Amino acid sequence: MAFFTTNYSNVNNNQGNYEPLPDGKYEMLILSASEEVAKTGSRSLTFKLVVRNDLDQALPATNGKYHNRIVWARVWKNKQTGTYNMDNLQYIMKAIGVPEGTPIESLEDFVKITWGKPVKVNVHLEDDDYHKGEKRNNINPWDWENTEFIKVAHTNKDGQVMNQGQPQTQQAPDINANSLPF
């Protein structure tokens, strides 16, 4: 059985539009969250968000125009203390609707809780420090809000409808070491 069959019919769907999103509030889903290390050695909790495609009629100027676009949001660790600002993480927990007083046991638990959740975020356009003359998107932790549209009918790239914001699978695929080329 083949790993996949080539099909290039959807390859150019973006029509070369890789410009940052315009400033504004967008209804999004958190596709993933993970801790990453920048080239400088700084650590961040990085969120991959997608503009929801089930709100084209409700929000034609934002979601309708930019649905399925991906934006990354980062919460940086303090270099001196090696810890995250807990207030920044609290903004995100409040935005996804985690009840007051809920204990979060670990960063892994925090990540699992956020996956697939709908949120409204205020996207800012700012100068890119690494690519002079270019712009990039930024989402500050305090710019996360509760969604106005709890019921989620976003369709992922495989045509599957997200079930109330929950991803279809939350575990990594089982990889056989014998199938790796190295």
Side-chain angles (χ1 to χ4, degrees):
M1 182 172 172
F3 174 58
F4 73 95
T5 302
T6 56
N7 177 351
Y8 305 124
S9 62
N10 291 323
V11 172
N12 293 320
N13 281 351
N14 198 337
Q15 288 116 18
N17 184 1
Y18 298 102
E19 296 294 317
L21 290 174
D23 286 340
K25 292 190 177 189
Y26 296 84
E27 290 283 345
M28 298 196 178
L29 286 177
I30 303 170
L31 293 181
S32 65
S34 61
E35 190 169 47
E36 296 183 0
V37 180
K39 291 178 186 178
T40 62
S42 298
R43 293 186 173 272
S44 70
L45 189 55
T46 303
F47 297 88
K48 181 179 180 183
L49 301 145
V50 62
V51 177
R52 288 174 56 178
N53 61 19
D54 59 335
L55 300 172
D56 289 3
Q57 291 181 349
L59 303 168
T62 54
N63 284 61
K65 196 170 181 181
Y66 299 102
H67 67 240
N68 295 329
R69 293 284 300 276
I70 302 291
V71 178
W72 285 266
R74 289 177 175 77
V75 176
W76 293 95
K77 260 189 181 179
N78 182 304
K79 286 184 182 181
Q80 284 74 36
T81 65
T83 61
Y84 290 104
N85 179 325
M86 287 299 125
D87 288 344
N88 289 341
L89 302 182
Q90 298 287 352
Y91 289 118
I92 296 167
M93 290 283 100
K94 185 176 179 184
I96 65 173
V98 174
E100 180 84 26
T102 301
I104 310 300
E105 300 297 332
S106 66
L107 182 62
E108 292 78 22
D109 287 344
F110 176 87
V111 166
K112 286 178 186 175
I113 289 169
T114 63
W115 278 5
K117 296 298 190 295
V119 292
K120 180 169 42 170
V121 297
N122 192 12
V123 175
H124 303 280
L125 195 59
E126 62 183 32
D127 292 329
D128 189 329
D129 296 336
Y130 296 101
H131 302 97
K132 298 298 180 196
E134 293 185 23
K135 299 286 187 183
R136 68 179 173 123
N137 287 131
N138 185 37
I139 303 170
N140 297 312
W142 49 89
D143 286 329
W144 294 57
E145 303 173 24
N146 295 101
T147 182
E148 292 181 24
F149 301 90
I150 299 294
K151 185 172 174 148
V152 176
H154 177 85
T155 305
N156 69 17
K157 66 181 179 180
D158 298 323
Q160 297 173 316
V161 176
M162 300 290 276
N163 183 8
Q164 291 301 320
Q166 296 301 314
Q168 299 298 314
T169 61
Q170 288 192 3
Q171 61 189 39
D174 188 23
I175 298 174
N176 181 343
N178 294 331
S179 67
L180 296 175
F182 48 89

